[in-house]
């Protein structure tokens, strides 16, 4: 399973470099890692203007990332058009690796975009009781707020639920990952 580190959870310095690890960077120009980098673009659930989103695509291309992490993406059928345009423009700019993160299962039309989809992003408490309706094997799961003693159990549950990529972390998206070293566990 690929490991994806969202901006609020950073890998430990001891994590070995491999092609199976993606680091999502929040802003162009941030400290580069030797892992594959995805540039985060906040789609604000589909409410950002296409011009602003495309300007972000160009900024990330100029920064040299390997792909994009389209965060807070819309999941309904009404958002497919702008997301499809963003994916196509990214491909024209050489950014072929795209991860779409609505954090919930999407309308089936999104499957035609040929991108990886993160169908769960939320706290450990919700993931434990999540029924997984609408997901497919290989989809991504980002589970935060996992008690450190349960990180291995959380990763195993992700595997049993067919996650193809993602992360189980003790970090929280609501607190800086730099405070106290939260979220620095490395698989």
């Amino acid at each position: 399973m690929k490991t994806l580190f969202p901006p609020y959870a950073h890998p430990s310095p001891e994590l070995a470099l491999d092609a199976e690890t993606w680091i999502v960077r929040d802003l162009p120009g941030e400290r580069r890692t030797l892992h594959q980098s995805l540039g985060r673009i906040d789609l604000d659930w589909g409410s950002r203007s296409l011009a602003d989103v495309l300007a972000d695509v160009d900024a990330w291309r100029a920064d040299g990332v390997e792909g994009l992490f389209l965060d807070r993406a819309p999941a309904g059928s009404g958002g497919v058009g702008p997301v499809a345009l963003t994916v196509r423009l990214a491909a024209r700019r050489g950014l072929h690796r795209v991860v779409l993160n609505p954090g919930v299962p999407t309308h089936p039309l999104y499957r035609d975009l040929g991108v990886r989809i993160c169908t769960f992003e939320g706290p450990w408490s919700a993931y434990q009781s999540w029924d997984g309706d609408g997901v497919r094997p290989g989809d991504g799961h980002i589970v935060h707020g996992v008690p450190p003693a349960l990180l291995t159990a959380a990763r195993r549950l992700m595997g049993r639920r067919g996650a193809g990529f993602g992360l189980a972390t003790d970090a929280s998206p609501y607190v800086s990952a730099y405070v106290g070293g939260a979220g620095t566990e490395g698989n």
Side-chain angles (χ1 to χ4, degrees):
M1 176 169 60
K2 284 192 173 289
T3 303
L4 182 140
F5 285 93
Y8 57 84
H10 297 274
S12 79
E14 294 83 37
L15 181 65
L17 295 177
D18 62 27
E20 300 298 308
T21 301
W22 300 333
I23 306 296
V24 178
R25 293 176 38 222
D26 230 359
L27 299 169
E30 288 181 324
R31 183 180 64 81
R32 298 285 312 229
T33 72
L34 296 177
H35 295 281
Q36 296 180 58
S37 294
L38 302 178
R40 179 182 178 268
I41 297 178
D42 184 355
L43 298 181
D44 197 18
W45 313 117
S47 68
R48 285 192 66 208
S49 76
L50 190 55
D52 288 345
V53 170
L54 299 182
D56 286 352
V57 171
D58 286 337
W60 281 116
R61 181 184 60 90
D63 192 67
V65 295
E66 290 81 16
L68 300 173
F69 183 75
L70 303 179
D71 202 10
R72 298 192 328 147
S77 61
V80 172
V83 171
L85 285 172
T86 301
V87 169
R88 271 188 263 152
L89 178 71
R92 287 185 189 142
R93 301 285 198 268
L95 299 170
H96 298 283
R97 178 169 291 129
V98 176
V99 176
L100 184 67
N101 183 30
V104 297
T106 61
H107 187 279
L109 287 172
Y110 285 91
R111 300 293 177 175
D112 296 336
L113 298 178
V115 301
R116 291 180 176 260
I117 301 174
C118 187
T119 53
F120 182 91
E121 180 175 17
W124 172 239
S125 57
Y127 192 69
Q128 292 175 88
S129 60
W130 181 53
D131 63 12
D133 269 354
V135 303
R136 293 187 183 171
D139 285 350
H141 303 175
I142 300 173
V143 185
H144 55 75
V146 180
L150 297 176
L151 286 168
T152 299
R155 286 188 203 102
R156 286 185 184 134
L157 181 57
M158 289 171 65
R160 286 194 304 274
R161 290 185 171 172
F165 67 97
L167 180 72
T169 179
D170 58 346
S172 168
Y174 312 111
V175 178
S176 171
Y178 298 107
V179 176
T184 57
E185 82 344 292
N187 295 359

